[in-house]
Amino acid sequence: PASTSSLARRQTAERRAKELVEAGELGRVVGLEGNFSTPGGMRQNPNTWRYDRRRCPAAPMMQLGVHLLDFFIHLTGPVDSVQAYMKHTAMPGENDDAVVINFETESGVLGVLSTYYVTPHVWSFRILGTGGVLDGSQGELVLRRDGHEETETFDRDDSIQEEIDEFGRC
């Protein structure tokens, strides 16, 4: 599957999600849910920096979840409070490979984010509003409201090149 990174907010589907939120298509946003996971932790060994808890604490959050959290902050504003759970489950070594966080944004939106470094690839998010729910995954958005469902699909963008171009302009 295509890689999803901190540049997620630069992807067409995620930009469209922000447009829908800003246009009020979901009503007032009250909740965010998401998961970004990969099997990358299963390939770690003592010679890789992600193997070592001191060099890569909470590995899946540092490597994966942070990108989804960045997207959520882009949607609803800064995070005000966080409660996190971390655990080592299956990754070689002793580094944590499972992280779940509950958070609240300064604007009062509640959220939950999970990220695992030992499962098949997952990129999914849900934006819950008083007037609709938007589900996103790998270039697809599904908007559910009033008993109706609308699906939009998008190609993946070269968000890394876009970020490099923006950096150059700065």
Side-chain angles (χ1 to χ4, degrees):
S3 175
T4 306
S5 71
S6 65
L7 309 172
R9 63 178 129 138
R10 295 178 183 273
Q11 295 292 330
T12 305
E14 285 75 2
R15 284 181 180 179
R16 177 71 175 134
K18 181 155 176 77
E19 288 174 5
L20 292 168
V21 166
E22 288 179 343
E25 295 294 324
L26 303 177
R28 180 172 167 241
V29 174
V30 296
L32 300 165
E33 300 172 356
N35 180 280
F36 185 12
S37 299
T38 73
M42 299 305 285
R43 296 186 296 272
Q44 302 307 306
N45 64 63
N47 298 318
T48 58
W49 67 275
R50 292 176 181 115
Y51 181 90
D52 186 346
R53 173 179 286 159
R54 289 170 295 144
R55 292 190 287 168
C56 187
M61 190 61 200
M62 284 194 51
Q63 295 295 297
L64 307 170
V66 67
H67 303 303
L68 187 53
L69 185 59
D70 174 71
F71 173 59
F72 287 161
I73 290 168
H74 183 64
L75 287 174
T76 62
V79 170
D80 183 53
S81 62
V82 175
Q83 182 179 32
Y85 302 91
M86 300 180 293
K87 184 175 183 175
H88 174 264
T89 64
M91 185 171 139
E94 295 180 4
N95 204 350
D96 295 316
D97 53 32
V99 177
V100 176
I101 67 169
N102 298 311
F103 63 93
E104 181 176 1
T105 67
E106 289 178 358
S107 62
V109 176
L110 297 177
V112 61
L113 184 155
S114 58
T115 180
Y116 303 90
Y117 212 24
V118 294
T119 70
H121 183 84
V122 175
W123 170 264
S124 65
F125 62 87
R126 175 172 283 163
I127 305 166
L128 299 106
T130 58
V133 174
L134 185 65
D135 287 312
S137 64
Q138 293 304 115
E140 180 178 271
L141 294 176
V142 179
L143 176 60
R144 294 177 177 85
R145 58 185 171 186
D146 300 325
H148 300 288
E149 186 174 290
E150 303 167 33
T151 300
E152 293 182 69
T153 58
F154 306 88
D155 292 329
R156 301 301 290 172
D157 300 306
D158 189 352
S159 55
I160 293 173
Q161 184 61 54
E162 183 179 322
E163 184 174 52
I164 290 169
D165 292 345
E166 180 181 343
F167 181 77
R169 287 190 303 274
C170 290

